[in-house]
Amino acid sequence: MYRELPSGILGVTLWRSGPSGARVGGTHVLPDGCMDLIRHADGFLVAGPDTTSQFSDLVADRPLTAVRFEPGLGPRFFGVDASELTDRRVPLDDLWPSRRVRLLAARAEDDPVAALVDAVRGAVDEHDPMADLARALAAGAAVTEVAATLGWSDRTLRRRSARAYGYGPKTLSRVLRFRRAVARAPGR
């Protein structure tokens, strides 16, 4: 049982998932260029941007509540470059001071959805140029076309992309193109 909910914040999606007999062993998560903050029974987990399919057994036996940040929006919230989290899952405690994590956990006890939305609100710049770049790429724009619009050199674009997305702009473009293809596939 997976479902997405609106967060009221541009570029941020809430999602919930619970145990499902159909997915007893877990599930594969396809690359989407996003970063997630996942609340589960044992705490919080940060899922970095993926370059390949990742196996997750989290959904197999526990309810999850999470926020998904569109490409480019997560690093500011987490306080770490996306490149440090590429293809990784790390406890939020590894990124934030324990007091901050405990405060979020306490707020999430009664209403995890409200706690996550409140934590994200104001911490995400919805009009960050890197988020705008990712949206343009997601819509099918060419990397060189978008870079020219921003007036950035290839080197600047690559450096900023690694910090914002966890990989270069061409890799992000391929991940987003794959995501569009999966969304258009029959049976989705």
Side-chain angles (χ1 to χ4, degrees):
M1 161 195 101
Y2 170 87
R3 70 177 194 255
E4 293 184 353
L5 311 161
S7 70
I9 303 167
L10 181 66
V12 178
T13 301
L14 281 162
W15 61 267
R16 297 190 95 167
S17 182
S20 168
R23 292 187 174 163
V24 174
T27 187
H28 284 274
V29 178
L30 299 176
D32 59 6
C34 299
M35 296 174 72
D36 294 61
L37 173 60
I38 304 166
R39 179 187 182 265
H40 56 86
D42 300 326
F44 294 94
L45 186 69
V46 178
D50 296 325
T51 57
T52 62
S53 173
Q54 300 286 328
F55 180 77
S56 173
D57 61 357
L58 277 178
V59 74
D61 61 353
R62 54 186 133 185
L64 307 174
T65 303
V67 287
R68 175 172 298 121
F69 298 88
E70 280 185 359
L73 293 178
R76 181 174 176 192
F77 177 75
F78 293 116
V80 63
D81 288 355
S83 60
E84 294 183 37
L85 299 172
T86 303
D87 292 322
R88 294 183 59 209
R89 307 296 181 261
V90 299
L92 184 60
D93 303 80
D94 289 358
L95 305 178
W96 286 3
S98 58
R99 182 176 187 276
R100 186 174 177 195
V101 175
R102 281 194 312 271
L103 287 171
L104 179 58
R107 288 193 315 242
E109 282 298 316
D110 294 327
D111 189 348
V113 170
L116 290 173
V117 170
D118 288 346
V120 172
R121 194 176 314 284
V124 172
D125 181 1
E126 301 165 348
H127 304 291
D128 181 292
M130 298 311 291
D132 292 340
L133 175 84
R135 289 183 192 116
L137 293 174
V143 171
T144 53
E145 171 188 320
V146 177
T149 302
L150 293 170
W152 292 346
S153 69
D154 288 345
R155 185 176 178 188
T156 298
L157 178 61
R158 185 153 186 68
R159 187 179 69 250
R160 289 187 179 190
S161 293
R163 286 195 310 247
Y165 314 129
Y167 27 75
K170 290 284 191 186
T171 300
L172 177 65
S173 182
R174 284 191 293 270
V175 165
L176 296 175
R177 189 171 52 245
F178 172 73
R179 190 165 93 175
R180 283 192 311 273
V182 167
R184 291 181 182 148
R188 285 292 289 164

